[in-house]
Structures are given as structure tokens and as C-alpha cells.
Amino acid sequence: MKIGGFIASILLCISWQASSATVSPISDALCRNMTQAGVMDNTAPVQCQRLRQVTFNYVDFDGKRYNNGHLIVLDAVAPYVGHIFDSLFSAKFPINKAVTIEHYQGDDDRSMTDNNTSAFNYRSISGQRSLSLHAYGLAIDINPVQNPFVEFSKANTATFKPQAGIKYANRMKYRFGKTEREGMAEEVIELFAKNGFQYWGGFWDTPIDYQHFQVSRDMANLMIAMNSQQASMFFKHYVDWYQSCSRFYPQAHSQHKFNDYVEYLKDKLEVSSLSQAYARSPSRIIQAIQVDSVRSAICVKR
């Protein structure tokens, strides 16, 4: 290899690793656009002041690099979301595109059909009245075509959304006699989990939502009841808890058999809901948020 080519390859490698996502507040103009598009409303559980836009680099399925990936998430989780997508970029994990949901007028079906990676959207769960965790800025959908939403009728008929996702009903990355498939969520479950998004829709029985990563609902209600500083402190402890448990109990971690930090705090405080307990006594919950030594009695599920 020529010296120039060698140096160029080194610089290319450095450029892949040096990607750094940025986090910025939601501007008044963007908030107005979100409202006009039906993505935001004054009845939404999270308003623009508590949301952040994460801008990141990504590589698409043709290997082309972009610097204009955008997701909108809750303020407390934004740095961790930035880290997730920096890691995906460094690993050359492909993302088809990532534009905020107002480009589709809040229409999740249109966004999925366009194979768009997205986060915040003030909407209900598909086919239900209760709010989606997207309405809290605490859920992320990646590559919906490669990771479709699959729901089942009473006659056990499966429907794939988007329809192109039926090509990925078989979830194997490597298949005999076929080319390797990229962009599937199974590869990044651990990356999302160690950055606070422990709950993957691929774990569900019905529907199965391969594209979807989120926190628990009790956790979401707690974080929006807190102020930004409190929520950031809590989420850091949540992430630290997961990483400690996975390090000290690798077998339980590999089998998804340990409690998350919310469940630990509920057991410690003897409450059934952390968000409800916070509503009754914020100081009690804040005082309980601390790093404890990890013991199997509290870390590993029985």
C-alpha cells in the first residue's frame, strides 16, 4: 500500500470513531412545526421545554455517510441516545434514515413505510387508547422495514407493518446460501439496554415490535414528574445499575433475569409504583436514589 493510501485509511478509521452526537433544546420554531403537524399538543405529557433534539452521524445500507440524523427524546436520556447512535455509526450499523416525525405529519404508518428511525410522537399505542411511550420521548424505533411491527388477529393471522417487513419474518442474520442481512435490532439489544432502553418490543408475545426500544411505563411517569435535574440523576443511576448487574451476574444478564433499577427501588421502598410514591413524597424517592452494592437478592430475579 502507498504511504498516502495508508494515511488515508487511518484518517478514515479515525473519522468513523470520532463521531460525536450533539444535543440541543427544541427551538420555538421547531416546537411550532411539531404542533402544526399534530406531533405536539398542550395535552401531551411532555412539552417542548423538556424535549431535546439529538443530531448524529449515520451510515445507510449502501455505505453512504450522513451527518443529519435527528431524533427528539426526553432531556434526561438525550446524552445516552447520542451515545447509542455514535456507537452504531462507529460499528457501521446501517440506519436507512432518521428524520423527526413531523415530516410525516405524525403518521407512524407513513414513517414506517419510509423505513424511518424515529422517537418522540404524541400518539396512542397502535390500536389502543393508552399513550405510547413515544409520547414521553422515551421510545425509539429503528429501521422499521428490517424490524417490523407484527400483530395477530383472533384467527392467528399475522399482519406486518410496514408490509415490506414481511421479508424479515425470518430473523436470522446469516442463512445458508443467502447474503448477510443488516440493520436488524437483535444486533443492538445490548447497546440500547446498557444506555437505559432495556425493554425491547421483540421480547413481547403479541404484538411483536422488533423496531421498538423503550423504558417501563412506571419509569416514564416518574421521569416526567421529576424536574430535569432529578430525572437526569435518576437515569444515570438506572444505567449504572444495569451495567453493574450485567458485570457481576453475566449468566442472569444473558438470560434477561435480573431486576431493573425501578424494580429494585420499589422493593426497597415497599411500594407498587415508583411514580405514585414520588407523587406522595418526592423527597423519599430522591433520597432513595443512590448506588448500592449489587447483591443477588436484589439484582437477580427469583
Side-chain angles (χ1 to χ4, degrees):
M1 178 185 292
K2 293 182 179 180
I3 297 292
F6 178 70
I7 293 175
S9 66
I10 291 177
L11 292 175
L12 178 62
C13 180
I14 292 174
S15 71
W16 279 107
Q17 297 176 349
S19 168
S20 181
T22 60
V23 175
S24 56
I26 303 301
S27 68
D28 291 341
L30 177 54
C31 190
R32 285 194 297 270
N33 289 342
M34 293 166 62
T35 303
Q36 291 169 2
V39 174
M40 171 57 76
D41 185 270
N42 58 13
T43 61
V46 179
Q47 295 296 300
C48 290
Q49 294 85 348
R50 284 291 307 274
L51 295 173
R52 296 293 182 268
Q53 180 167 257
V54 182
T55 302
F56 54 90
N57 295 346
Y58 67 96
V59 56
D60 70 10
F61 285 85
D62 295 321
K64 184 177 179 180
R65 291 186 290 172
Y66 297 82
N67 62 1
N68 59 351
H70 292 111
L71 290 177
I72 294 176
V73 295
L74 187 69
D75 50 10
V77 307
Y80 298 89
V81 172
H83 183 263
I84 288 171
F85 283 87
D86 279 347
S87 298
L88 294 179
F89 179 75
S90 295
K92 302 182 183 179
F93 179 92
I95 298 292
N96 184 64
K97 67 186 303 184
V99 299
T100 49
I101 202 72
E102 70 269 13
H103 289 82
Y104 304 93
Q105 301 298 303
D107 189 329
D108 189 50
D109 287 338
R110 284 180 55 200
S111 179
M112 286 193 293
T113 299
D114 202 25
N115 204 13
N116 180 56
T117 292
S118 65
F120 177 80
N121 187 7
Y122 177 42
R123 64 174 178 83
S124 300
I125 297 172
S126 178
Q128 300 183 33
R129 291 185 178 180
S130 57
L131 284 179
S132 164
L133 268 292
H134 288 285
Y136 297 77
L138 288 170
I140 299 172
D141 290 344
I142 64 166
N143 294 337
V145 169
Q146 287 73 26
N147 305 290
F149 175 87
V150 187
E151 57 186 346
F152 302 90
S153 70
K154 292 181 180 180
N156 292 323
T157 300
T159 300
F160 286 74
K161 294 182 179 180
Q163 289 185 348
I166 197 169
K167 297 177 182 178
Y168 291 85
N170 183 315
R171 301 303 298 169
M172 294 185 69
K173 177 180 176 66
Y174 303 103
R175 299 175 296 164
F176 185 75
K178 299 182 181 294
T179 58
E180 173 187 342
R181 297 193 295 181
E182 298 181 306
M184 294 198 297
E186 284 83 346
E187 295 182 62
V188 297
I189 294 170
E190 175 59 14
L191 174 62
F192 274 82
K194 73 179 184 180
N195 284 283
F197 291 82
Q198 189 173 339
Y199 293 87
W200 176 48
F203 291 144
W204 303 342
D205 293 325
T206 179
I208 304 172
D209 199 353
Y210 292 110
Q211 66 199 257
H212 185 86
F213 293 90
Q214 67 169 59
V215 304
S216 71
R217 187 166 296 275
D218 191 28
M219 180 173 170
N221 287 325
L222 173 67
M223 292 178 72
I224 65 169
M226 291 174 160
N227 63 37
S228 180
Q229 183 178 5
Q230 292 171 341
S232 295
M233 177 184 66
F234 166 76
F235 197 71
K236 181 182 184 302
H237 285 297
Y238 185 90
V239 169
D240 289 345
W241 172 266
Y242 179 89
Q243 294 185 5
S244 294
C245 284
S246 62
R247 184 168 63 253
F248 289 118
Y249 298 95
Q251 182 175 351
H253 167 255
S254 67
Q255 298 173 351
H256 307 288
K257 287 185 177 179
F258 58 74
N259 288 323
D260 70 11
Y261 190 56
V262 171
E263 296 304 313
Y264 158 66
L265 287 175
K266 285 163 59 176
D267 290 343
K268 178 179 180 178
L269 297 171
E270 298 182 336
V271 298
S272 59
S273 167
L274 209 57
S275 59
Q276 293 176 10
Y278 179 86
R280 292 191 296 269
S281 177
S283 61
R284 184 184 182 213
I285 303 303
I286 296 301
Q287 290 172 4
I289 298 173
Q290 57 187 354
V291 177
D292 293 272
S293 59
V294 178
R295 304 187 301 273
S296 61
I298 58 178
C299 186
V300 180
K301 291 180 179 179
R302 297 177 181 177

